[in-house]
Every structure is written in structure tokens, then in C-alpha cells.
Amino acid sequence: MLSSKFIMKRRELFVYIAVFLYCTALFFKRTSIPIDQNILNKIMTISAVISLGNVIFDLEMSLKQWLITVMLGGFLFIDSIPTGNHELLYLFILIWSCRNVDKNKLMRYIYTIIIVLTLFIALFTGIGLIENERFVQNGVRVRYGLGYNVWSILPFQFYSICMYYMYFSKKVVRLDKIIFMSLCSVWIGIVTDTKTSIVITIVGLCTMYIVQSKKIINWKQLKILVLLPEVIAACSLFMTLGYINGNVLFQKLNILMNYRLMYQSIGLEKYGVSIFANGNYRVSAESGNYFGIDNQYMNLAIAWGISALIIVLIIYSHLIRYCLINKNIKLLIIVIIMVFMGIMWSRMLVLVEAAYLICFSDLFANANSTKQKLKCRREKISE
């Protein structure tokens, strides 16, 4: 018989292969490279099948772990039937398969993949081999994709690269590097006309810079943060309903948020909210006929259904709890910023930007692995 150690190593190899396939396919789906989307979708399916193999042949889970797995997986499977879009289910299976793999190493692995591919796109866009798409909105607003098929992709991808650079840095990052990354984000934000990305990147970098020399004394006081995703989701619904009812404050806030509340209210009135995904939900990027819901929470509730929203809220609450248990201040900051960012942008489920999602698999990990080698490293605030 094969030793359990050998089986574990083999499964770990399959996890890394699955993550590579998933992240690479997802990355290229968002670029301007003319690749057949069906091919990329099949690659993501292959990734899910490899991950599912790790799930099926894992005989070490407790009854509780299996119940959680079947419940969450079942809901996501049923939720994907009306639209035929299985991306959330694939992501869940991939995350689950990471349960007995070192999370920190796997996050670094994803981080490395994204840096290499981002540099690849930057190089080939710079020399003209990849189209720098030009987007014109309302005949006035001009934005550039910089090698990606949506103008907002690179700004937030760069933000995530900056945050993970700060996270993985063993030494204190100097101020001049913070300034350099901030200036790069300003340039990208101006070219793509994505000003919020500039603010988020600078705020994130400054916060990470500050915590390098700070130490949290009483972590128990931060337990309230576990409810933050649910609070933000409730606030998103409250703002949308306030706009629908004609509240003056939310009317002004809508303008400040580039009419996001207007599109949320249109989506809520047109499609409503159901338990599972709405197969009739459609987005449009056509000039003069644009429609899309950027708010992650409202997008999930309207397009993917309440069941998907609840599962995502559970995931993020667990991620915050995970950071608190491990006293991981840097990862906690990254997760919390993303939770707030969900009000304006739908990036919470994009693995190439939110690599920390794999830490949710800690919920399914074996007890011994969770305590010892399979958690994200605890941050050393002072060296």
C-alpha cells in the first residue's frame, strides 16, 4: 500500500496543478488576447475535475466536514443550474481541495503566477502585440484597457500585487517603495480612469506600512469584525432601497458613486431577488445602453441568488475569524479592505486578486494540520 505521506504529496501536486490551470485560464479570460473563451472555460473545468478528485478520494474528513461540504457544494450546484455558469461551484471545489496544503505557500504560488502573467501582458501590450483597447462611454469618457478586456481589471490587479508584496515581505518595506507603488497606481488609475483604485491602493499601502511597526495587544476586542461582511451587505441593500424611495441623501450619494445605486435599483426592480440564480439576468457594456451591478453584495443577491450571497458572507466571516485566530494583522487588513471594496466593485470572488480565499479551506482541514503546518504564517510585527 502507498504510504499516507506519499498520497498527501501526490494530492498536493494535483492541487498546485489545479490552481495553476484555474488561475491561468481566469487571467487570460480577462485579457484582450483573442483566445477562444470556450477553451479557457474547459481548462477551468479540468481544474475543477482535478480538484474534485482530491475531494472524492479524501477519506480523512469527519462527518461534520462532510456535512458542510455537501451542504455548501449542493447549494452552489443547484444555484448554477439556471444560468449554466458553474464558476462559483468550480471555485468552491478548488478552495476545498486546498484544505491540507500549506496556505501561505499556495498564496505565494498564486502571487507569483499573477506577477509573471501581468509582466507578460505589460510587455506585449507595450510593444503592440496585444491590443490596448480604447473604451468610450457616453461619447466623452475615454478609458484604456492596457491589455485587458475591461478597463478596471489592471488597476485592481495591481492593487492586489502591491498588497501581497507587503504581506510577503519579511523585512520592513521602506517608504520610498510605498511611494513608487503609489505613483504607479496613480498612472494606471489615470489611464484607465479608475480613480477609486488609486484611493484604495494608497490607503491599503499606507495601512500596511503603518502596521509594520505596530502590535495588536488585545485581539479579542476585534471579534466584532467577524460580522462586518453581513453589516456591509445590509448597508448595500439599505442604500439601494433608500435610492428607490427617493431619499435625497442617497440621490446625492448615487452621483458620488458614479450612478451605482441607480443600476442597483434598476436590477432590483427588474429582476428581483430569488433563492437561486436568475437565468434572465444580463449585463450590457454597449454605449448608451450600459447596465451592470458593481456592488458585490447586490450583484450576488440579484444575479446569483440569496443562497450564493449567504455562502459568500459565511466565507468572508470565516476568513476574518481565521485572521483573528492566527493573529495575522496584514491578512486581516487585506480581507477587510476587500469587504468594503465590495460596495463599489465585484472583486471578492476573483481568485487572482483574492488569493486568500484558499484560507477558507481551513474550515475543512484536519485538526492536526490546522494547528500546525497548514495555516497562513503569523505576522512578525517587529523584527
Side-chain angles (χ1 to χ4, degrees), residues 104-136:
N104 202 55
K105 288 182 179 179
L106 196 53
M107 286 173 63
R108 187 185 291 273
Y109 176 66
I110 296 172
Y111 171 68
T112 303
I113 292 172
I114 303 312
I115 286 182
V116 172
L117 293 179
T118 300
L119 291 174
F120 169 82
I121 297 298
L123 174 62
F124 283 87
T125 302
I127 62 179
L129 293 180
I130 297 177
E131 182 184 0
N132 182 14
E133 290 191 57
R134 186 171 179 266
F135 303 90
V136 180

Side-chain angles (χ1 to χ4, degrees), residues 30-99:
R30 295 157 25 118
T31 68
S32 296
I33 300 175
I35 303 178
D36 189 341
Q37 293 293 305
N38 289 326
I39 294 177
L40 297 176
N41 288 334
K42 288 178 181 178
I43 292 175
M44 295 180 75
T45 303
I46 292 172
S47 169
V49 171
I50 294 173
S51 301
L52 186 60
N54 277 335
V55 174
I56 294 175
F57 294 107
D58 191 332
L59 304 177
E60 299 179 356
M61 283 205 303
S62 66
L63 177 61
K64 179 182 177 181
Q65 289 170 328
W66 271 115
L67 288 174
I68 295 174
T69 300
V70 173
M71 182 178 67
L72 295 182
F75 269 115
L76 289 175
F77 175 73
I78 296 172
D79 189 65
S80 66
I81 294 175
T83 62
N85 188 336
H86 306 295
E87 287 191 13
L88 282 181
L89 178 63
Y90 292 167
L91 179 61
F92 171 75
I93 296 173
L94 183 68
I95 291 173
W96 189 102
S97 70
C98 301
R99 77 185 193 98

